[in-house]
Amino acid sequence: MAASIRVRAILNGEIAEVQTLIQHPMDTGLVKDAKGEVIPAHYIQQLTFTHKDKTVFLADWGTAVSKDPYVKFGFKGAAKGDELKVSWVDNKGATDSLTATIQ
Amino acid sequence: MRNFSRGIATTNVMKKIVFALMVSAVCAGSARAASEADYLTALAAAESANKEAGRLRNQWTVTQAALNAAKKAAESGNFDSALKSAQDAEALAKASIVQATSEKQRWKDMEIR
Amino acid sequence: MTASSGPLAHRRLFLKGAGLVALIGLGNAVLHAAPVFAATNDNKYPDDAFRQKNAGDAIKALYGRDHEASDKIKLDAPEIAENGGVVPIAVTTTLPNVTSISFIVSENPFALAASYRIPEGTVPAVANRLKMAKTSNVIALVESGGKLYSATKEVKVTVGGCGG
Amino acid sequence: MSAMRVLLAVAATLGLGAAAIAADKPDPAADAKAFQDYFVKKFPKVAFDDFVNGPYSMNADMRRQWEEKEQFPPYEFALEAGKEMFAKPFKNGKTYADCFPNGGIGIRQNYPYFDDKEGKVITLELALNRCREANGEAPYSYVKDEMASLTAYMAYTSRGKRFDIKIPDDPRALDAFEKGKEYFYTRRGQLNFSCASCHVQSPGERIRAEILAPALGILNAMPIYRSEWSGMGTTSRRIVTCNSQTRAVPLEPQSDEYRNLEYYLSYVSNGLPVSGPGARP
């Protein structure tokens, strides 16, 4: 189970409304910790949503995206029960993914 | 207005006194820089006042900051600034004590009744 | 199997032996990387655009063209951010066949905050939470029908609390 | 003639003195009523239950930002972690449910309460650590994430239930209430502010980016995820940071002063719904 990704995908008419909250520090690399050392940049760069093997949404993120990032969008052509694959990769190469079902 | 006429005479006297004071201050300033002893007595006074504020559960964060600054300056041998910071700390600690004691009654003024 | 790049590459090929395939691959990529703008087709992360400091350079690096204001873009952002770390910013547009939406925070250390690819069939609207270093213009860019449109709003940002 | 005047003066001061003493016999119910009337009169357009939303009941621009956050709130992770922690048995096999009435579900609105055996105020945070220690586990810090996650889950199970803080007719309980009230109105720190300076005299006003919350219902959303901390905050953490903001040296979390303060503030907010865990600037 992807511990870092929370997805809510709800069909509203013909549009699937998708909200995602991801647990990630999104460190900018410009902040110092209590001891005065710079906390290195550590942020999600790309977040991809695929439905029936087609990318329905792709986010390119910089260091200005908030900690525990959130994004909301909608797309047509989905049906209740369809699967929506969500995956991210960060600047350290770490990744996580989750398959959610459209309610 | 009556003593105005005497005023002129007194001003000369005043000038002499002021002059003398200034001279002695300058001498005092340069001749005897704050010694470590001065600093230590001031530090002790500040710390005991801050301890009293602690007993009254009403210390200020800036008091501790001034104490730390005093100790830091003392470590680098700068007893003038160490003495000054210790005196600041004492003043702050005393103010926090006055605040605690006066508020014992004054808090009621703001109470919603 | 001729190495097409200069003498240096030749020498490297013989030395590395095992690295042969990787180098050739690298050689090809370098050759084909004509000035193509990542925002529109392949899924490459627009690293260069995110490294630009000011808005103008970031937009040029990402879209390679100027933008014109459009009243068909609704940019929703607070007047005074409750906290610079979490500023809710959303955009919707009635412009036709939108392919990309991006957010610029001009006064941030790096102007480009986020960029989104909007494939066919996806609603041209995005909501997200961005960080803002200080009071700044927020620019929402919408690429529609190969042209670039924008909406701008100033968001005031300051710290909270009474002192400490 | 002057003797008469002196007599009158003495009588007057005595009379005043008597009145003052009478007024000072603790009457929590009257205090709560006066407290709530003050805010309802000061903010006639704010719905009673809306006071628990702090700054967001005071400013439309802030409220929109809050409503956006609430769609997928940042405390989601703490809430889920709290739920798991609450169910996970201690090493001795027991769980938190064994320590609390009704298994700890839907009871947040009764905290803090006055324990007549111990003769002191017990807050939810203190009760949780007591439960841990009673079961051989190390207590959690009162200002860190574990305590925030647990209280977030317990608050969530009480959402909508109305604060129902009780003050038994026990002089020690009345004294605790009075001491909490005194702490609330006492100025402290170099900035010389009391809680009331900000949360009674100037709620709705700005301190730089933030809008001051009204004191009425100010604890109903605890624990809170603050963007300022980009993390969770328990009631203890919030009070301790408020102290240092006014340059007062904070006391130990859960010390008498703080528990009595929480007792006072919760009692005067009786009748308002639990809305924790909350999101704040």
PDB file of all heavy atoms in Angstrom, chain C residues 96-127:
ATOM      1  N   PRO C  96     -10.050  27.165 -25.593  1.00  0.00           N
ATOM      2  CA  PRO C  96     -10.211  25.830 -26.201  1.00  0.00           C
ATOM      3  C   PRO C  96      -8.903  25.047 -26.224  1.00  0.00           C
ATOM      4  O   PRO C  96      -7.832  25.633 -26.033  1.00  0.00           O
ATOM      5  CB  PRO C  96     -10.651  26.173 -27.623  1.00  0.00           C
ATOM      6  CG  PRO C  96     -10.008  27.512 -27.892  1.00  0.00           C
ATOM      7  CD  PRO C  96      -9.958  28.232 -26.565  1.00  0.00           C
ATOM      8  N   ASN C  97      -8.987  23.775 -26.473  1.00  0.00           N
ATOM      9  CA  ASN C  97      -7.903  22.743 -26.491  1.00  0.00           C
ATOM     10  C   ASN C  97      -6.615  23.221 -25.802  1.00  0.00           C
ATOM     11  O   ASN C  97      -5.616  23.532 -26.394  1.00  0.00           O
ATOM     12  CB  ASN C  97      -7.653  22.181 -27.895  1.00  0.00           C
ATOM     13  CG  ASN C  97      -7.563  23.281 -28.969  1.00  0.00           C
ATOM     14  OD1 ASN C  97      -6.730  24.149 -28.877  1.00  0.00           O
ATOM     15  ND2 ASN C  97      -8.482  23.210 -29.935  1.00  0.00           N
ATOM     16  N   VAL C  98      -6.729  23.193 -24.482  1.00  0.00           N
ATOM     17  CA  VAL C  98      -5.586  23.569 -23.644  1.00  0.00           C
ATOM     18  C   VAL C  98      -4.628  22.367 -23.534  1.00  0.00           C
ATOM     19  O   VAL C  98      -5.056  21.237 -23.329  1.00  0.00           O
ATOM     20  CB  VAL C  98      -6.096  23.966 -22.233  1.00  0.00           C
ATOM     21  CG1 VAL C  98      -4.937  24.078 -21.255  1.00  0.00           C
ATOM     22  CG2 VAL C  98      -6.885  25.258 -22.317  1.00  0.00           C
ATOM     23  N   THR C  99      -3.334  22.616 -23.666  1.00  0.00           N
ATOM     24  CA  THR C  99      -2.384  21.493 -23.578  1.00  0.00           C
ATOM     25  C   THR C  99      -1.488  21.616 -22.341  1.00  0.00           C
ATOM     26  O   THR C  99      -0.893  20.636 -21.902  1.00  0.00           O
ATOM     27  CB  THR C  99      -1.457  21.514 -24.829  1.00  0.00           C
ATOM     28  OG1 THR C  99      -1.009  22.883 -24.963  1.00  0.00           O
ATOM     29  CG2 THR C  99      -2.197  21.090 -26.077  1.00  0.00           C
ATOM     30  N   SER C 100      -1.394  22.822 -21.776  1.00  0.00           N
ATOM     31  CA  SER C 100      -0.508  22.940 -20.596  1.00  0.00           C
ATOM     32  C   SER C 100      -0.921  24.125 -19.738  1.00  0.00           C
ATOM     33  O   SER C 100      -1.405  25.144 -20.256  1.00  0.00           O
ATOM     34  CB  SER C 100       0.928  23.128 -21.093  1.00  0.00           C
ATOM     35  OG  SER C 100       1.720  23.674 -20.046  1.00  0.00           O
ATOM     36  N   ILE C 101      -0.787  23.948 -18.420  1.00  0.00           N
ATOM     37  CA  ILE C 101      -1.064  25.045 -17.459  1.00  0.00           C
ATOM     38  C   ILE C 101       0.154  25.141 -16.528  1.00  0.00           C
ATOM     39  O   ILE C 101       0.633  24.095 -16.051  1.00  0.00           O
ATOM     40  CB  ILE C 101      -2.335  24.762 -16.634  1.00  0.00           C
ATOM     41  CG1 ILE C 101      -3.576  24.810 -17.529  1.00  0.00           C
ATOM     42  CG2 ILE C 101      -2.458  25.736 -15.472  1.00  0.00           C
ATOM     43  CD1 ILE C 101      -4.871  24.505 -16.808  1.00  0.00           C
ATOM     44  N   SER C 102       0.648  26.329 -16.264  1.00  0.00           N
ATOM     45  CA  SER C 102       1.797  26.471 -15.343  1.00  0.00           C
ATOM     46  C   SER C 102       1.580  27.655 -14.409  1.00  0.00           C
ATOM     47  O   SER C 102       0.767  28.532 -14.699  1.00  0.00           O
ATOM     48  CB  SER C 102       3.085  26.709 -16.151  1.00  0.00           C
ATOM     49  OG  SER C 102       3.305  25.606 -17.012  1.00  0.00           O
ATOM     50  N   PHE C 103       2.307  27.615 -13.280  1.00  0.00           N
ATOM     51  CA  PHE C 103       2.204  28.700 -12.290  1.00  0.00           C
ATOM     52  C   PHE C 103       3.592  29.298 -12.054  1.00  0.00           C
ATOM     53  O   PHE C 103       4.559  28.563 -11.806  1.00  0.00           O
ATOM     54  CB  PHE C 103       1.659  28.161 -10.960  1.00  0.00           C
ATOM     55  CG  PHE C 103       0.230  27.702 -11.040  1.00  0.00           C
ATOM     56  CD1 PHE C 103      -0.066  26.359 -11.239  1.00  0.00           C
ATOM     57  CD2 PHE C 103      -0.811  28.624 -10.947  1.00  0.00           C
ATOM     58  CE1 PHE C 103      -1.391  25.933 -11.325  1.00  0.00           C
ATOM     59  CE2 PHE C 103      -2.138  28.198 -11.026  1.00  0.00           C
ATOM     60  CZ  PHE C 103      -2.421  26.855 -11.227  1.00  0.00           C
ATOM     61  N   ILE C 104       3.627  30.619 -12.127  1.00  0.00           N
ATOM     62  CA  ILE C 104       4.885  31.355 -11.904  1.00  0.00           C
ATOM     63  C   ILE C 104       4.698  32.210 -10.647  1.00  0.00           C
ATOM     64  O   ILE C 104       3.646  32.865 -10.489  1.00  0.00           O
ATOM     65  CB  ILE C 104       5.189  32.274 -13.107  1.00  0.00           C
ATOM     66  CG1 ILE C 104       5.442  31.466 -14.368  1.00  0.00           C
ATOM     67  CG2 ILE C 104       6.327  33.231 -12.773  1.00  0.00           C
ATOM     68  CD1 ILE C 104       6.828  30.964 -14.567  1.00  0.00           C
ATOM     69  N   VAL C 105       5.664  32.190  -9.729  1.00  0.00           N
ATOM     70  CA  VAL C 105       5.640  33.129  -8.581  1.00  0.00           C
ATOM     71  C   VAL C 105       6.879  34.009  -8.771  1.00  0.00           C
ATOM     72  O   VAL C 105       8.012  33.611  -8.460  1.00  0.00           O
ATOM     73  CB  VAL C 105       5.712  32.359  -7.237  1.00  0.00           C
ATOM     74  CG1 VAL C 105       5.736  33.353  -6.081  1.00  0.00           C
ATOM     75  CG2 VAL C 105       4.535  31.399  -7.118  1.00  0.00           C
ATOM     76  N   SER C 106       6.656  35.200  -9.317  1.00  0.00           N
ATOM     77  CA  SER C 106       7.789  36.016  -9.800  1.00  0.00           C
ATOM     78  C   SER C 106       8.858  36.254  -8.743  1.00  0.00           C
ATOM     79  O   SER C 106      10.039  36.196  -9.021  1.00  0.00           O
ATOM     80  CB  SER C 106       7.275  37.388 -10.278  1.00  0.00           C
ATOM     81  OG  SER C 106       6.026  37.236 -10.907  1.00  0.00           O
ATOM     82  N   GLU C 107       8.457  36.511  -7.493  1.00  0.00           N
ATOM     83  CA  GLU C 107       9.460  36.890  -6.486  1.00  0.00           C
ATOM     84  C   GLU C 107      10.107  35.697  -5.781  1.00  0.00           C
ATOM     85  O   GLU C 107      10.929  35.874  -4.884  1.00  0.00           O
ATOM     86  CB  GLU C 107       8.825  37.804  -5.428  1.00  0.00           C
ATOM     87  CG  GLU C 107       8.250  39.105  -5.973  1.00  0.00           C
ATOM     88  CD  GLU C 107       9.296  39.913  -6.738  1.00  0.00           C
ATOM     89  OE1 GLU C 107      10.436  39.995  -6.236  1.00  0.00           O
ATOM     90  OE2 GLU C 107       8.967  40.415  -7.834  1.00  0.00           O
ATOM     91  N   ASN C 108       9.689  34.483  -6.126  1.00  0.00           N
ATOM     92  CA  ASN C 108      10.344  33.311  -5.505  1.00  0.00           C
ATOM     93  C   ASN C 108      11.781  33.188  -5.996  1.00  0.00           C
ATOM     94  O   ASN C 108      12.111  33.679  -7.064  1.00  0.00           O
ATOM     95  CB  ASN C 108       9.576  32.036  -5.871  1.00  0.00           C
ATOM     96  CG  ASN C 108       8.506  31.705  -4.843  1.00  0.00           C
ATOM     97  OD1 ASN C 108       8.343  32.429  -3.849  1.00  0.00           O
ATOM     98  ND2 ASN C 108       7.790  30.635  -5.079  1.00  0.00           N
ATOM     99  N   PRO C 109      12.636  32.503  -5.223  1.00  0.00           N
ATOM    100  CA  PRO C 109      14.026  32.325  -5.665  1.00  0.00           C
ATOM    101  C   PRO C 109      14.085  31.738  -7.082  1.00  0.00           C
ATOM    102  O   PRO C 109      14.907  32.143  -7.898  1.00  0.00           O
ATOM    103  CB  PRO C 109      14.611  31.335  -4.656  1.00  0.00           C
ATOM    104  CG  PRO C 109      13.734  31.415  -3.461  1.00  0.00           C
ATOM    105  CD  PRO C 109      12.388  31.857  -3.922  1.00  0.00           C
ATOM    106  N   PHE C 110      13.173  30.787  -7.355  1.00  0.00           N
ATOM    107  CA  PHE C 110      13.057  30.242  -8.722  1.00  0.00           C
ATOM    108  C   PHE C 110      11.605  30.456  -9.162  1.00  0.00           C
ATOM    109  O   PHE C 110      10.683  29.960  -8.516  1.00  0.00           O
ATOM    110  CB  PHE C 110      13.417  28.754  -8.753  1.00  0.00           C
ATOM    111  CG  PHE C 110      14.826  28.488  -8.286  1.00  0.00           C
ATOM    112  CD1 PHE C 110      15.077  28.097  -6.976  1.00  0.00           C
ATOM    113  CD2 PHE C 110      15.896  28.697  -9.154  1.00  0.00           C
ATOM    114  CE1 PHE C 110      16.373  27.895  -6.536  1.00  0.00           C
ATOM    115  CE2 PHE C 110      17.197  28.494  -8.715  1.00  0.00           C
ATOM    116  CZ  PHE C 110      17.447  28.090  -7.403  1.00  0.00           C
ATOM    117  N   ALA C 111      11.408  31.195 -10.221  1.00  0.00           N
ATOM    118  CA  ALA C 111      10.076  31.705 -10.551  1.00  0.00           C
ATOM    119  C   ALA C 111       9.068  30.602 -10.880  1.00  0.00           C
ATOM    120  O   ALA C 111       7.914  30.661 -10.437  1.00  0.00           O
ATOM    121  CB  ALA C 111      10.178  32.663 -11.738  1.00  0.00           C
ATOM    122  N   LEU C 112       9.516  29.569 -11.637  1.00  0.00           N
ATOM    123  CA  LEU C 112       8.542  28.532 -12.032  1.00  0.00           C
ATOM    124  C   LEU C 112       8.226  27.650 -10.824  1.00  0.00           C
ATOM    125  O   LEU C 112       9.121  27.033 -10.242  1.00  0.00           O
ATOM    126  CB  LEU C 112       9.104  27.688 -13.184  1.00  0.00           C
ATOM    127  CG  LEU C 112       8.187  26.548 -13.673  1.00  0.00           C
ATOM    128  CD1 LEU C 112       6.833  27.086 -14.174  1.00  0.00           C
ATOM    129  CD2 LEU C 112       8.871  25.759 -14.784  1.00  0.00           C
ATOM    130  N   ALA C 113       6.960  27.590 -10.446  1.00  0.00           N
ATOM    131  CA  ALA C 113       6.578  26.800  -9.270  1.00  0.00           C
ATOM    132  C   ALA C 113       6.109  25.416  -9.691  1.00  0.00           C
ATOM    133  O   ALA C 113       6.557  24.403  -9.178  1.00  0.00           O
ATOM    134  CB  ALA C 113       5.470  27.505  -8.497  1.00  0.00           C
ATOM    135  N   ALA C 114       5.193  25.386 -10.687  1.00  0.00           N
ATOM    136  CA  ALA C 114       4.639  24.085 -11.093  1.00  0.00           C
ATOM    137  C   ALA C 114       4.135  24.197 -12.531  1.00  0.00           C
ATOM    138  O   ALA C 114       3.736  25.279 -12.980  1.00  0.00           O
ATOM    139  CB  ALA C 114       3.481  23.700 -10.180  1.00  0.00           C
ATOM    140  N   SER C 115       4.190  23.037 -13.226  1.00  0.00           N
ATOM    141  CA  SER C 115       3.718  23.031 -14.611  1.00  0.00           C
ATOM    142  C   SER C 115       2.952  21.734 -14.847  1.00  0.00           C
ATOM    143  O   SER C 115       3.376  20.669 -14.361  1.00  0.00           O
ATOM    144  CB  SER C 115       4.924  23.099 -15.559  1.00  0.00           C
ATOM    145  OG  SER C 115       4.452  22.922 -16.878  1.00  0.00           O
ATOM    146  N   TYR C 116       1.819  21.832 -15.513  1.00  0.00           N
ATOM    147  CA  TYR C 116       0.961  20.655 -15.676  1.00  0.00           C
ATOM    148  C   TYR C 116       0.667  20.413 -17.154  1.00  0.00           C
ATOM    149  O   TYR C 116       0.357  21.345 -17.893  1.00  0.00           O
ATOM    150  CB  TYR C 116      -0.365  20.878 -14.920  1.00  0.00           C
ATOM    151  CG  TYR C 116      -0.181  21.073 -13.436  1.00  0.00           C
ATOM    152  CD1 TYR C 116      -0.107  22.347 -12.887  1.00  0.00           C
ATOM    153  CD2 TYR C 116      -0.027  19.978 -12.579  1.00  0.00           C
ATOM    154  CE1 TYR C 116       0.085  22.533 -11.513  1.00  0.00           C
ATOM    155  CE2 TYR C 116       0.173  20.148 -11.216  1.00  0.00           C
ATOM    156  CZ  TYR C 116       0.234  21.428 -10.688  1.00  0.00           C
ATOM    157  OH  TYR C 116       0.425  21.606  -9.338  1.00  0.00           O
ATOM    158  N   ARG C 117       0.788  19.118 -17.595  1.00  0.00           N
ATOM    159  CA  ARG C 117       0.402  18.750 -18.973  1.00  0.00           C
ATOM    160  C   ARG C 117      -1.078  18.381 -18.946  1.00  0.00           C
ATOM    161  O   ARG C 117      -1.507  17.588 -18.093  1.00  0.00           O
ATOM    162  CB  ARG C 117       1.170  17.521 -19.449  1.00  0.00           C
ATOM    163  CG  ARG C 117       2.606  17.537 -19.539  1.00  0.00           C
ATOM    164  CD  ARG C 117       3.460  18.621 -19.939  1.00  0.00           C
ATOM    165  NE  ARG C 117       4.739  18.459 -19.271  1.00  0.00           N
ATOM    166  CZ  ARG C 117       5.584  17.467 -19.541  1.00  0.00           C
ATOM    167  NH1 ARG C 117       5.324  16.592 -20.467  1.00  0.00           N
ATOM    168  NH2 ARG C 117       6.723  17.363 -18.866  1.00  0.00           N
ATOM    169  N   ILE C 118      -1.832  18.963 -19.869  1.00  0.00           N
ATOM    170  CA  ILE C 118      -3.280  18.715 -19.913  1.00  0.00           C
ATOM    171  C   ILE C 118      -3.577  17.947 -21.203  1.00  0.00           C
ATOM    172  O   ILE C 118      -3.755  18.549 -22.253  1.00  0.00           O
ATOM    173  CB  ILE C 118      -4.062  20.050 -19.909  1.00  0.00           C
ATOM    174  CG1 ILE C 118      -3.547  20.984 -18.805  1.00  0.00           C
ATOM    175  CG2 ILE C 118      -5.542  19.797 -19.811  1.00  0.00           C
ATOM    176  CD1 ILE C 118      -3.824  20.534 -17.404  1.00  0.00           C
ATOM    177  N   PRO C 119      -3.607  16.604 -21.130  1.00  0.00           N
ATOM    178  CA  PRO C 119      -3.870  15.833 -22.355  1.00  0.00           C
ATOM    179  C   PRO C 119      -5.321  16.022 -22.834  1.00  0.00           C
ATOM    180  O   PRO C 119      -6.162  16.557 -22.093  1.00  0.00           O
ATOM    181  CB  PRO C 119      -3.638  14.377 -21.917  1.00  0.00           C
ATOM    182  CG  PRO C 119      -3.043  14.437 -20.556  1.00  0.00           C
ATOM    183  CD  PRO C 119      -3.392  15.755 -19.970  1.00  0.00           C
ATOM    184  N   GLU C 120      -5.592  15.544 -24.027  1.00  0.00           N
ATOM    185  CA  GLU C 120      -6.949  15.578 -24.597  1.00  0.00           C
ATOM    186  C   GLU C 120      -7.913  14.926 -23.601  1.00  0.00           C
ATOM    187  O   GLU C 120      -7.584  13.903 -22.982  1.00  0.00           O
ATOM    188  CB  GLU C 120      -6.938  14.768 -25.918  1.00  0.00           C
ATOM    189  CG  GLU C 120      -8.251  14.832 -26.694  1.00  0.00           C
ATOM    190  CD  GLU C 120      -8.639  16.261 -27.024  1.00  0.00           C
ATOM    191  OE1 GLU C 120      -7.727  17.070 -27.323  1.00  0.00           O
ATOM    192  OE2 GLU C 120      -9.843  16.577 -26.899  1.00  0.00           O
ATOM    193  N   GLY C 121      -9.069  15.591 -23.364  1.00  0.00           N
ATOM    194  CA  GLY C 121     -10.080  14.942 -22.506  1.00  0.00           C
ATOM    195  C   GLY C 121      -9.926  15.306 -21.040  1.00  0.00           C
ATOM    196  O   GLY C 121     -10.774  14.974 -20.205  1.00  0.00           O
ATOM    197  N   THR C 122      -8.834  16.032 -20.714  1.00  0.00           N
ATOM    198  CA  THR C 122      -8.686  16.446 -19.294  1.00  0.00           C
ATOM    199  C   THR C 122      -9.167  17.892 -19.164  1.00  0.00           C
ATOM    200  O   THR C 122      -8.889  18.724 -20.029  1.00  0.00           O
ATOM    201  CB  THR C 122      -7.207  16.340 -18.868  1.00  0.00           C
ATOM    202  OG1 THR C 122      -6.860  14.946 -18.930  1.00  0.00           O
ATOM    203  CG2 THR C 122      -6.989  16.834 -17.450  1.00  0.00           C
ATOM    204  N   VAL C 123      -9.897  18.137 -18.084  1.00  0.00           N
ATOM    205  CA  VAL C 123     -10.496  19.465 -17.884  1.00  0.00           C
ATOM    206  C   VAL C 123      -9.369  20.492 -17.683  1.00  0.00           C
ATOM    207  O   VAL C 123      -8.442  20.245 -16.894  1.00  0.00           O
ATOM    208  CB  VAL C 123     -11.411  19.452 -16.635  1.00  0.00           C
ATOM    209  CG1 VAL C 123     -11.934  20.840 -16.337  1.00  0.00           C
ATOM    210  CG2 VAL C 123     -12.543  18.432 -16.832  1.00  0.00           C
ATOM    211  N   PRO C 124      -9.399  21.627 -18.392  1.00  0.00           N
ATOM    212  CA  PRO C 124      -8.326  22.650 -18.250  1.00  0.00           C
ATOM    213  C   PRO C 124      -8.472  23.433 -16.947  1.00  0.00           C
ATOM    214  O   PRO C 124      -8.836  24.610 -16.943  1.00  0.00           O
ATOM    215  CB  PRO C 124      -8.521  23.524 -19.468  1.00  0.00           C
ATOM    216  CG  PRO C 124      -9.973  23.425 -19.783  1.00  0.00           C
ATOM    217  CD  PRO C 124     -10.403  22.026 -19.397  1.00  0.00           C
ATOM    218  N   ALA C 125      -8.201  22.761 -15.840  1.00  0.00           N
ATOM    219  CA  ALA C 125      -8.308  23.443 -14.536  1.00  0.00           C
ATOM    220  C   ALA C 125      -7.399  22.713 -13.557  1.00  0.00           C
ATOM    221  O   ALA C 125      -7.305  21.476 -13.612  1.00  0.00           O
ATOM    222  CB  ALA C 125      -9.750  23.398 -14.034  1.00  0.00           C
ATOM    223  N   VAL C 126      -6.741  23.441 -12.688  1.00  0.00           N
ATOM    224  CA  VAL C 126      -5.856  22.817 -11.684  1.00  0.00           C
ATOM    225  C   VAL C 126      -5.954  23.607 -10.378  1.00  0.00           C
ATOM    226  O   VAL C 126      -6.057  24.839 -10.398  1.00  0.00           O
ATOM    227  CB  VAL C 126      -4.372  22.857 -12.146  1.00  0.00           C
ATOM    228  CG1 VAL C 126      -3.488  22.155 -11.107  1.00  0.00           C
ATOM    229  CG2 VAL C 126      -4.190  22.245 -13.512  1.00  0.00           C
ATOM    230  N   ALA C 127      -5.930  22.880  -9.253  1.00  0.00           N
ATOM    231  CA  ALA C 127      -5.822  23.545  -7.935  1.00  0.00           C
ATOM    232  C   ALA C 127      -4.619  22.934  -7.242  1.00  0.00           C
ATOM    233  O   ALA C 127      -4.416  21.719  -7.287  1.00  0.00           O
ATOM    234  CB  ALA C 127      -7.081  23.287  -7.111  1.00  0.00           C
TER     235      ALA C 127
END
